[in-house]
Amino acid sequence: MQASAIVFAYHDVGVRCLSVLLAHGVRVPLVVTHRDDPGENVWFASVDRLAREQGLEVAYDDADIPGRARELAPDFLFSFYYRHMLPEVVLATPKRGAYNMHGSLLPRFRGRAPVNWAIVRGARETGATVHERLAKPVAGAIIAQQAVPILPDDTAIEVFRKVTVAAEIVMDRSLPRLIDGSAPRIPQDLARGEYCGGRKPADGRIDWSRPAREIHDLVRAVAPPYPGAFCDVDGRRLQVNRTRIMMGPGAGSGPSGVEQTQGGLVAHCGDGGRLAILEWEWT
């Protein structure tokens, strides 16, 4: 018998994971997504467009979702990078459970902006996790995970693209076992992870008194298309988009801050390390 699922989705991960469901023959009677925010830099693919191209019913988050979910009575509910919490009445609707795709290796980096936080914290690995969706955020049992590396100079968009592929892989691998009932359910040890809040553009402000590696990680974590890291230099706003940790003679020279050199911009950091500023703009 063909399984059915209501899908709550947005962003690239939403597009890729919805595509996996359709490729496996899952019947999707309803896709719930967000209207794009005109004030946001929308650089990612559209769930709305994919769903309409596939002839699926589309609703937005301001519709009567609980009533429509009760009416459809699906086997499953899936959420893929959907930005709002789902009420318990909706989570209780599917006959065979509600599941979420999260962009980290749970229980690490639960909560908002998991890719950005992983880079800010200097992690060398992240990934994608399918887990049971509960009323408590990102706390349900783990179904499956796919890891990806974070290289020392990877930016957030580069890591996010890896995580998007990891989400597609782990969804493709775990979906048949969810459907036939053989999927494992591994309880999360929440004490081994951390919960991260949302990030704001102001969180990209650089404090040059911090260590070079920490600043380099911040720059990578918020580089465009995210809002970017920044500082003020002589009354002007400098947006720093890409850096490289400098090795060799010269470390420790000069006060913390940005220095103009013949080769461009160099930043002196609080631990005596230096950063070459490879890409920047005055805003």
Side-chain angles (χ1 to χ4, degrees):
M1 181 177 176
Q2 185 182 29
S4 64
I6 292 177
V7 176
F8 292 76
Y10 195 60
H11 221 289
D12 289 343
V13 170
V15 167
R16 299 290 278 271
C17 290
L18 174 57
S19 297
V20 170
L21 296 187
L22 297 175
H24 279 266
V26 174
R27 183 172 62 85
V28 180
L30 179 65
V31 174
V32 184
T33 189
H34 306 291
R35 292 182 175 87
D36 291 335
D37 181 347
E40 181 177 356
N41 177 18
V42 180
W43 49 268
F44 40 82
S46 171
V47 168
D48 190 323
R49 182 178 301 112
L50 171 64
R52 294 183 188 280
E53 288 173 352
Q54 295 294 323
L56 306 178
E57 179 183 345
V58 177
Y60 299 104
D61 43 29
D62 55 357
D64 176 20
I65 303 304
R68 191 74 178 109
R70 286 193 300 270
E71 178 185 342
L72 293 170
D75 295 309
F76 296 98
L77 181 154
F78 291 103
S79 60
F80 305 129
Y81 266 60
Y82 189 72
R83 291 177 169 179
H84 295 336
M85 296 296 298
L86 298 179
E88 290 188 56
V89 64
V90 172
L91 294 176
T93 300
K95 297 187 283 288
R96 301 180 61 186
Y99 300 91
N100 181 60
M101 180 68 70
H102 188 73
S104 77
L105 297 177
L106 295 176
R108 295 296 313 276
F109 306 113
R110 304 188 312 277
R112 303 285 185 175
V115 168
N116 310 82
W117 276 113
I119 299 172
V120 166
R121 298 284 173 81
R124 294 300 302 274
E125 182 182 61
T126 190
T129 302
V130 180
H131 66 94
E132 290 182 323
R133 180 143 193 179
L134 307 178
K136 183 176 181 178
V138 205
I142 293 169
I143 305 301
Q145 296 182 310
Q146 177 67 44
V148 298
I150 302 177
L151 303 183
D153 292 324
D154 278 347
T155 63
I157 184 61
E158 291 165 338
V159 177
F160 184 79
R161 286 170 179 150
K162 297 179 191 181
V163 169
T164 299
V165 175
E168 181 179 52
I169 290 170
V170 75
M171 195 69 230
D172 184 69
R173 187 172 72 235
S174 60
L175 183 59
R177 300 191 68 181
L178 286 171
I179 292 173
D180 70 19
S182 66
R185 285 164 173 78
I186 304 167
Q188 288 193 62
D189 180 359
L190 300 184
R192 292 179 50 239
E194 64 272 82
Y195 187 85
C196 299
R199 294 188 60 83
K200 306 178 295 296
D203 296 329
R205 178 175 287 279
I206 299 169
D207 177 358
W208 295 112
S209 70
R210 304 300 301 170
R213 168 58 65 180
E214 182 180 315
I215 296 170
H216 179 62
D217 290 342
L218 173 63
V219 171
R220 298 189 300 126
V222 299
Y226 297 96
F230 66 92
C231 66
D232 295 320
V233 179
D234 297 330
R236 301 175 66 194
R237 176 62 52 89
L238 174 67
Q239 180 169 311
V240 180
N241 293 336
R242 189 178 287 269
T243 57
R244 184 185 71 244
I245 295 177
M246 299 177 69
M247 305 298 179
S253 62
S256 298
V258 178
E259 175 190 7
Q260 179 83 46
T261 70
Q262 286 187 335
L265 298 181
V266 173
H268 299 270
C269 306
D271 62 348
R274 297 180 301 155
L275 294 176
I277 300 177
L278 304 179
E279 297 177 15
W280 72 88
E281 54 188 293
W282 296 100
T283 62

